[in-house]
């Protein structure tokens, strides 16, 4: 076995020493960015070595006043943090500049009994904040600063599910990509509420929606996912879901009391990776004029049609699908009303 040269050994040693010093330097740098532990108790600060930013976790805050005091009295060597996480704290109203001059890229204040948020609650965070999460609080239509979203040039994620919003907000932000309003008692939305967020990719609003306008999604050219499961939408009429995005791929309509779908109910599909989720509805037939245009967008191996728990009657009206293995391969779940999986239906003796 050839021996390793002295020069190579020396080079490897120098590389290892440099790497060790680099890691040690990052660790020391991380320690120097955090405030002293006793100054921010009961919060704790750690350093993320991938993002090169500190992270603040406050699981035992007793009040909004205690949280404010930390940011008023403690010395913060680093003014920009990756995120702050608070949960289960009785915070109530979030006042102006609650974190003083300390900025966060992500703000997670969940299950904190938050009743209102001042429009300038996170002023220092506005330039770089990308995530705003406040689920399971007590926010209402008038107590959340929806009109300020456009003031955050990097804010793409807003999750405020499980609150008390009764009206879908009129969004106004060219940066917003993901809005989650799940478990808010909202019954309607339309184009007017969505058009101000042209780069929206993901919309999640359930389970109280009763209707929405057919042109709701026309201005959303980047839209990829619509989550409308567990709503009381009922049958889909002509023009009910009109899409205008080449990227659209996921349509979630599980448990929506759908028994009938008009042939022109879902239009504007362009992607060949379409996935439609229709489980737990009341469909008895898969009419070709309805589903053929959809399954034709599922032919590159990524498409998916989910039909579990629908009372499908497997007769000649479904021969177009059951006799076409290419189309049938995209039906991932679904059974006939007698329990036979769609993929196992024997059509050899059918005379259709």
């Amino acid at each position: 076995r050839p021996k390793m040269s002295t020069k190579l050994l020396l080079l490897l040693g120098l590389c290892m020493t440099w790497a060790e010093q680099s890691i040690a330097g990052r660790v020391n740098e991380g320690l120097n960015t955090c405030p002293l532990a006793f100054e921010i108790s009961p919060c704790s600060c750690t350093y993320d070595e991938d993002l090169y930013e500190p992270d603040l976790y406050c699981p035992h805050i007793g009040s909004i006043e205690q949280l404010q005091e930390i940011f008023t009295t403690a010395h913060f060597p680093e003014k920009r943090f990756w995120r702050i996480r608070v949960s289960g704290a009785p915070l109530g109203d979030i006042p102006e500049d609650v974190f003083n001059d300390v900025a966060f890229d992500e703000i997670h204040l969940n299950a904190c009994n938050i009743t209102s948020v001042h429009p300038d609650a996170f002023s220092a965070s506005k330039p770089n904040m990308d995530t705003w999460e406040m689920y399971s609080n007590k926010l209402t239509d008038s107590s959340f600063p929806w009109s300020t979203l456009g003031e955050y040039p990097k804010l793409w994620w807003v999750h405020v599910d499980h609150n008390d919003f009764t009206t879908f907000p009129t969004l106004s932000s060219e940066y917003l990509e993901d809005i989650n309003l799940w478990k808010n008692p909202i019954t309607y939305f339309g184009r007017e509420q969505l058009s101000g967020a042209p780069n929206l990719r993901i919309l999640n609003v359930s389970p109280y929606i009763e209707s929405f306008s057919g042109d709701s999604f026309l201005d959303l050219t980047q839209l990829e996912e619509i989550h409308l499961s567990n709503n009381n939408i009922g049958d889909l009429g002509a023009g009910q879901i009109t899409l205008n995005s080449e990227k659209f791929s996921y349509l979630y309509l599980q448990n929506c009391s759908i028994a009938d779908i008009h042939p022109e109910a879902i239009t504007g599909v362009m992607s060949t990776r379409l996935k439609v989720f229709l489980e737990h509805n009341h469909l008895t037939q898969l009419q070709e004029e309805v589903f053929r245009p959809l399954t034709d967008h599922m032919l590159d191996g990524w498409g998916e049609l989910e039909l579990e728990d629908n009372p499908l009657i497997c007769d000649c009206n479904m021969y177009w699908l059951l006799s076409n293995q290419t189309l049938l391969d995209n039906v991932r779940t679904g059974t006939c009303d007698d329990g036979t999986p769609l993929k196992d239906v024997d059509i050899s003796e059918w005379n259709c």
Side-chain angles (χ1 to χ4, degrees):
R1 178 181 301 177
K3 294 183 178 180
M4 192 174 295
S5 69
T6 303
K7 287 185 178 181
L8 183 56
L9 285 171
L10 179 60
L11 181 60
L12 287 173
L14 289 173
C15 289
M16 292 177 66
T17 301
W18 176 84
E20 290 170 354
Q21 290 176 345
S22 178
I23 293 172
R26 290 181 184 177
V27 172
N28 289 331
E29 178 188 354
L31 293 174
N32 291 333
T33 61
C34 282
L36 297 175
F38 76 90
E39 289 188 334
I40 60 171
S41 178
C43 297
S44 60
C45 177
T46 56
Y47 183 74
D48 189 282
E49 295 182 11
D50 294 322
L51 298 175
Y52 308 123
E53 287 185 353
D55 176 19
L56 201 63
Y57 180 42
C58 303
H60 303 298
I61 287 291
S63 66
I64 189 64
E65 290 78 17
Q66 184 183 20
L67 186 63
Q68 284 184 284
E69 184 178 3
I70 289 173
F71 289 93
T72 302
T73 60
H75 171 63
F76 284 80
E78 172 64 47
K79 296 297 186 179
R80 181 178 174 184
F81 277 62
W82 165 30
R83 65 182 176 181
I84 181 171
R85 293 171 293 157
V86 185
S87 60
L91 297 185
D93 298 330
I94 305 300
E96 182 178 5
D97 293 324
V98 63
F99 304 129
N100 202 358
D101 59 351
V102 179
F104 296 92
D105 293 354
E106 296 186 9
I107 291 179
H108 303 260
L109 304 178
N110 301 316
C112 288
N113 197 37
I114 296 174
T115 50
S116 71
V117 181
H118 190 282
D120 291 314
F122 314 125
S123 291
S125 300
K126 284 185 177 181
N128 294 296
M129 181 171 153
D130 57 42
T131 298
W132 189 334
E133 185 178 85
M134 286 186 173
Y135 64 72
S136 298
N137 285 293
K138 295 184 178 180
L139 295 166
T140 64
D141 300 332
S142 60
S143 68
F144 187 82
W146 289 108
S147 62
T148 67
L149 296 190
E151 299 174 12
Y152 297 78
K154 294 184 179 179
L155 183 63
W156 70 276
W157 165 295
V158 177
H159 281 207
V160 286
D161 42 306
H162 293 81
N163 276 283
D164 296 323
F165 299 110
T166 60
T167 303
F168 196 103
T170 299
L171 301 176
S172 181
S173 171
E174 62 182 285
Y175 318 107
L176 186 63
E177 297 182 22
D178 187 331
I179 181 75
N180 189 332
L181 285 159
W182 172 266
K183 280 288 184 178
N184 282 280
I186 297 170
T187 58
Y188 171 84
F189 65 86
R191 185 177 186 177
E192 180 181 356
Q193 286 75 39
L194 295 172
S195 62
N199 290 304
L200 197 66
R201 294 188 300 108
I202 302 172
L203 170 66
N204 192 333
V205 53
S206 294
Y208 302 100
I209 294 295
E210 297 175 359
S211 64
F212 54 93
S213 65
D215 61 357
S216 294
F217 314 113
L218 275 179
D219 300 313
L220 307 182
T221 58
Q222 305 300 311
L223 190 62
E224 298 176 12
E225 302 180 18
I226 298 175
H227 296 255
L228 289 171
S229 298
N230 303 302
N231 283 303
N232 190 30
I233 296 172
D235 297 345
L236 301 182
Q240 184 66 72
I241 300 175
T242 304
L243 303 166
N244 188 28
S245 170
E246 294 180 0
K247 301 178 180 179
F248 186 81
S249 299
Y250 294 86
L251 178 58
Y252 293 88
L253 291 168
Q254 298 106 317
N255 192 29
C256 286
S257 301
I258 299 172
D260 184 66
I261 301 176
H262 190 279
E264 296 179 1
I266 304 171
T267 60
V269 176
M270 291 176 264
S271 171
T272 58
R273 297 188 172 188
L274 180 65
K275 297 175 175 63
V276 180
F277 301 86
L278 284 163
E279 304 101 303
H280 313 295
N281 279 294
H282 308 311
L283 296 170
T284 58
Q285 294 288 334
L286 302 179
Q287 301 99 322
E288 183 172 8
E289 59 269 30
V290 175
F291 286 92
R292 184 61 185 257
L294 299 179
T295 55
D296 281 347
H297 286 276
M298 301 178 182
L299 300 182
D300 69 351
W302 291 87
E304 187 173 338
L305 181 59
E306 300 283 356
L307 295 163
E308 180 182 357
D309 195 24
N310 279 279
L312 297 172
I313 300 172
C314 294
D315 57 16
C316 284
N317 290 319
M318 286 178 55
Y319 185 81
W320 70 272
L321 174 65
L322 300 177
S323 63
N324 189 322
Q325 191 60 50
T326 301
L327 298 181
L328 195 58
D329 283 343
N330 292 297
V331 180
R332 305 303 171 88
T333 62
T335 60
C336 304
D337 57 353
D338 63 0
T340 305
L342 295 181
K343 293 185 177 182
D344 295 335
V345 176
D346 183 2
I347 61 172
S348 60
E349 297 183 3
W350 286 19
N351 185 22
C352 297

